Amino acid sequence: MTNARDWQGTVGKSWAQEWQRTDTSFGELTPHLLATIAAEPGDVIVDIGCGAGELSIAVAQTRLQASVTGVDISDDLVATARTRSALPNVCFLQADASQWGPQSERPDLYISRHGVMFFPDPPAAFANLAKVAAPDARVVFSCFRKPSENVWATSLAALLPPTAPAATERFAPGPFAFADPDHIRLCMAGWRDLAFTPVDFAYVAGAGEDPVGEAMALFRRIGPAASALRNLGDAERQDVEQRLLELVKAHLVDGRVSFPAAAWLVSATSDYRNG
Ligand SMILES: C[S@@+](CC[C@H](N)C(=O)[O-])C[C@H]1O[C@@H](n2cnc3c(N)ncnc32)[C@H](O)[C@@H]1O
């Protein structure tokens, strides 16, 4: 489980410092998401949970007539995103997207790369997003499919000490909270024409001159290994680090460390009628 407090604290700080590595990890998914977004109309675009802003900036660069607002709950990530672009048609805003509303024009297109699975009350959040949007607004986002289809997640879980049983609340936030399309339908009450496209991609943990070092640096700061390592004593940490290194080396192929990963691209239309 990763909640709003985590994103506003340690987790958000780590993502802000590691944005090059997290962008690399999504590098094979992003073109699929951008191609889906490119097929959608929309001039007032909001990127939900924009993080360090790669998706917002990429869309703003290709749609110069549009305004793109990246909304994120983490101050650190918004500050990082602001340093990355001087484009006049993109801006970044610190806010809880589940309660956000526009200052002026209503959005006609929401986009998100893995930023919509962390709302404490997703049906209320998606109802709000529909309510504050233009009639028939569209949404396009990516999210992980189930852990068993994401080898990076099962491989890491296998070498970490057992954790507390997964949260049982119906809408517990987390990276796999939107793995099940039926659950997404429940969360997106008030949205119609839901479409799910599966995308299999390589989650690139390390590339460049030192792919093994890059992957170790990523896993030490981001994701399940990072939170486990933070809480282990010295001996256990060394043991996990050693096994992590073996895992990473085993996944080094053609100069990069990568793991099979699986996502949904989800699109839908707002059913909300303003007024
Ligand atoms: C997995 S990260 C993805 C970040 C970014 N979209 C990317 O692709 O690099 C999830 C993002 O959602 C943001 N987030 C979580 N809950 C949020 C909320 N209630 N409102 C706005 N942003 C939120 C986090 O701060 C984080 O930046």
Side-chain angles (χ1 to χ4, degrees), residues 65-153:
Q65 83 293 355
S67 71
V68 182
T69 304
V71 175
D72 202 282
I73 203 163
S74 157
D75 277 325
D76 295 286
L77 278 159
V78 168
T80 300
R82 285 181 179 146
T83 65
R84 291 182 68 186
S85 171
L87 286 170
N89 62 333
V90 65
C91 67
F92 296 99
L93 186 70
Q94 190 279 331
D96 179 344
S98 65
Q99 295 171 20
W100 171 85
Q103 296 282 324
S104 51
E105 286 180 292
R106 292 174 179 272
D108 51 9
L109 177 61
Y110 291 110
I111 59 175
S112 182
R113 186 178 71 182
H114 281 52
V116 298
M117 307 91 93
F118 304 98
F119 298 132
D121 183 348
F126 274 96
N128 176 61
L129 291 170
K131 187 176 167 189
V132 302
D136 300 316
R138 293 277 292 161
V139 62
V140 175
F141 64 82
S142 63
C143 56
F144 282 126
R145 304 205 309 267
K146 52 187 192 268
S148 58
E149 295 180 89
N150 280 282
V151 173
W152 66 270

Side-chain angles (χ1 to χ4, degrees), residues 1-4 73 96-99 116-129 169-174 177-178 183-184 186-189 191:
M1 172 154 139
T2 316
N3 61 26
I73 203 163
D96 179 344
S98 65
Q99 295 171 20
V116 298
M117 307 91 93
F118 304 98
F119 298 132
D121 183 348
F126 274 96
N128 176 61
L129 291 170
E169 304 108 77
R170 195 172 184 199
F171 294 116
F178 271 31
H183 183 78
I184 297 177
L186 274 181
C187 294
M188 295 183 71
W191 292 77

Side-chain angles (χ1 to χ4, degrees), residues 19-257:
W19 64 267
Q20 285 103 331
R21 294 189 175 108
T22 56
D23 281 356
T24 299
S25 73
F26 286 130
E28 289 213 346
L29 173 65
T30 305
H32 295 278
L33 181 56
L34 286 171
T36 307
I37 292 168
E40 298 284 345
D43 282 336
V44 185
I45 301 174
V46 172
D47 182 359
I48 306 166
C50 64
E54 187 182 36
L55 190 70
S56 305
I57 294 166
V59 171
Q61 273 165 344
T62 56
R63 238 184 252 217
L64 293 174
Q65 83 293 355
S67 71
V68 182
T69 304
V71 175
D72 202 282
I73 203 163
S74 157
D75 277 325
D76 295 286
L77 278 159
V78 168
T80 300
R82 285 181 179 146
T83 65
R84 291 182 68 186
S85 171
L87 286 170
N89 62 333
V90 65
C91 67
F92 296 99
L93 186 70
Q94 190 279 331
D96 179 344
S98 65
Q99 295 171 20
W100 171 85
Q103 296 282 324
S104 51
E105 286 180 292
R106 292 174 179 272
D108 51 9
L109 177 61
Y110 291 110
I111 59 175
S112 182
R113 186 178 71 182
H114 281 52
V116 298
M117 307 91 93
F118 304 98
F119 298 132
D121 183 348
F126 274 96
N128 176 61
L129 291 170
K131 187 176 167 189
V132 302
D136 300 316
R138 293 277 292 161
V139 62
V140 175
F141 64 82
S142 63
C143 56
F144 282 126
R145 304 205 309 267
K146 52 187 192 268
S148 58
E149 295 180 89
N150 280 282
V151 173
W152 66 270
T154 48
S155 306
L156 290 177
L159 55 82
L160 298 174
T163 49
T168 51
E169 304 108 77
R170 195 172 184 199
F171 294 116
F176 293 103
F178 271 31
D180 175 7
D182 285 340
H183 183 78
I184 297 177
R185 284 188 190 94
L186 274 181
C187 294
M188 295 183 71
W191 292 77
R192 63 182 148 85
D193 307 332
L194 268 72
F196 299 86
T197 305
V199 177
D200 295 327
F201 66 105
Y203 178 93
V204 180
E209 286 185 7
D210 178 14
V212 168
E214 283 292 306
M216 290 299 289
L218 176 78
F219 288 143
R220 282 188 186 116
R221 298 297 309 285
I222 304 289
S227 50
L229 286 169
R230 272 198 296 275
N231 297 318
L232 292 177
D234 285 349
E236 238 185 330
R237 187 180 318 112
Q238 276 174 21
D239 179 50
V240 170
E241 288 252 0
Q242 183 54 39
R243 289 189 291 130
L244 188 56
L245 183 59
E246 285 159 19
L247 174 72
V248 160
K249 284 182 173 168
H251 282 264
L252 175 63
V253 177
D254 292 337
R256 61 180 208 173
V257 176

